[in-house]
């Protein structure tokens, strides 16, 4: 089996699964309980938070555990909008965000908030001048993802941070679910960033767990009412086994991060070198410093992406049609649409996404298999135009 769908989810690391199992079996007390079982759980929760903070370069008190990236995104966006609505009701995001961000803004729009969605260029990249023009005295939030989940564009978070230095009351949220562990952290997590979302199952930890980083002093309203866990801002009993596993998984992920990212980039480059010589292939994720090393999106024009995905599956090779969240609805890739890519090409797109466990041998096998598929489909795609 060749698994090239790591942006959808990653396989849990066996040692992380062991940690999860041990904690679930041995430290099963509620961290909020007063007795010694609860105290033992609370100590592990605290040590996991400290480890994660050390790895991410934050304070432990700035990390809040969530059910995943979707909750973290919704909380950052809605929590800011509701907290600051008496000061302003203008929100800014990009036109290429993950559904959990895009739909959160739509929900706020339906509540009366004014939302500006920034366009992108042919590389799927936001222009800082567009953001500058959109900012006004009513703006309370800017939310732009660090790495696009469909084509891998790295957004200009550093440039946006420089611009927002002049707008200290505007909260700056970055969805960094696809950016962690790719040797680009300093480019997508600057001192100006106020809120960051992460999802554990994107880096070999259990699904159903994530993190919202909230800079000290920044105020957001909670989404949940309840027992007051997580400093009174995120009620609900913490998923301690998954949190402990997440801490271990992040430590493993960031060990030898540079070498891992280089290997992923080499796999991407190998496949891009093959694809770019094929007529009818359009590549949306070039090998470039402006693109993440682990995401490769391309189209065999005229052949639907889902057809390619299922054909590759027959060879035990697993990919996706851009975002996994859109693929089950046969939706056109929102990022490609925002880039003004025609529907015929956009619906032909597939996404390969790599991680540190993939090998060059897998890349070579993918090329061998894809060549067979290409020779089968080529006469009926672009050549039939």
């Amino acid at each position: 089996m060749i698994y090239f769908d790591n942006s959808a989810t990653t396989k849990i690391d066996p040692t992380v699964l062991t940690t999860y199992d041990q904690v679930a079996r041995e430290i099963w007390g509620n961290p909020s309980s007063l007795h010694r079982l609860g105290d033992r759980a609370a100590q592990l929760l605290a040590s996991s938070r400290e480890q994660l903070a050390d790895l991410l370069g934050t304070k432990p008190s700035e990390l809040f555990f969530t059910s995943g990236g979707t909750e973290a995104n919704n909380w950052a966006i809605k929590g800011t909008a509701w907290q600051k609505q008496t000061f302003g009701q203008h929100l800014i995001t990009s036109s290429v965000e993950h559904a959990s961000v895009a739909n959160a803004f739509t929900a706020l729009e339906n509540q009366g908030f004014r939302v500006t969605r920034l366009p992108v260029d042919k590389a799927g990249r936001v222009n800082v001048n567009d953001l500058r023009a959109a900012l006004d005295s009513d703006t309370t939030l800017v939310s732009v993802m660090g790495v696009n989940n469909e084509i891998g564009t790295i957004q200009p978070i550093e440039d946006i941070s420089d611009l927002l230095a002049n707008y200290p009351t505007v909260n700056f949220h970055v969805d960094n679910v696809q950016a962690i562990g790719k040797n680009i952290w300093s480019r997508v997590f600057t001192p100006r960033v106020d809120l960051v979302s992460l999802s554990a199952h994107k880096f070999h930890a259990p699904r159903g767990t994530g993190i919202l980083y909230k800079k000290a002093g920044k105020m957001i309203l909670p989404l949940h009412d309840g027992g007051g866990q997580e400093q009174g801002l995120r009620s609900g009993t913490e998923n301690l086994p998954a949190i402990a596993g997440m801490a271990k998984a992040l430590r493993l992920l960031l060990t030898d991060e540079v070498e891992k990212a280089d290997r992923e980039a080499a796999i991407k480059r190998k496949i891009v070198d093959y694809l770019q010589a094929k007529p009818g292939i359009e590549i949306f994720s070039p090998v470039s410093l402006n693109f993440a090393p682990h995401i490769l999106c391309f189209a065999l024009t005229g052949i639907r992406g889902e057809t390619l995905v299922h054909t590759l599956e027959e060879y035990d090779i697993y990919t996706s049609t851009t975002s996994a969240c859109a693929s089950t609805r046969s939706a056109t890739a929102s990022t490609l649409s925002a880039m003004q890519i025609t529907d015929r090409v956009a619906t032909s797109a597939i996404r390969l996404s790599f991680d540190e466990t993939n090998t060059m041998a897998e890349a070579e096998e993918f090329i061998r298999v894809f060549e067979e598929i290409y020779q089968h489909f080529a006469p009926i795609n672009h050549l039939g135009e």
Side-chain angles (χ1 to χ4, degrees), residues 360-381:
M360 193 60 75
E362 291 178 332
E364 292 168 352
E365 176 63 9
F366 172 85
I367 291 170
R368 187 193 67 77
V369 168
F370 192 83
E371 179 64 24
E372 288 185 27
I373 295 171
Y374 177 82
Q375 293 300 330
H376 174 74
F377 283 122
I380 57 175
N381 61 18

Side-chain angles (χ1 to χ4, degrees), residues 265-287:
I267 290 171
K268 176 178 175 179
R269 186 178 301 107
K270 176 80 174 179
I271 298 175
V272 166
D273 287 347
Y274 158 75
L275 291 173
Q276 63 187 6
K278 312 299 288 185
I281 296 283
E282 188 161 348
I283 298 171
F284 307 109
S285 313
V287 177

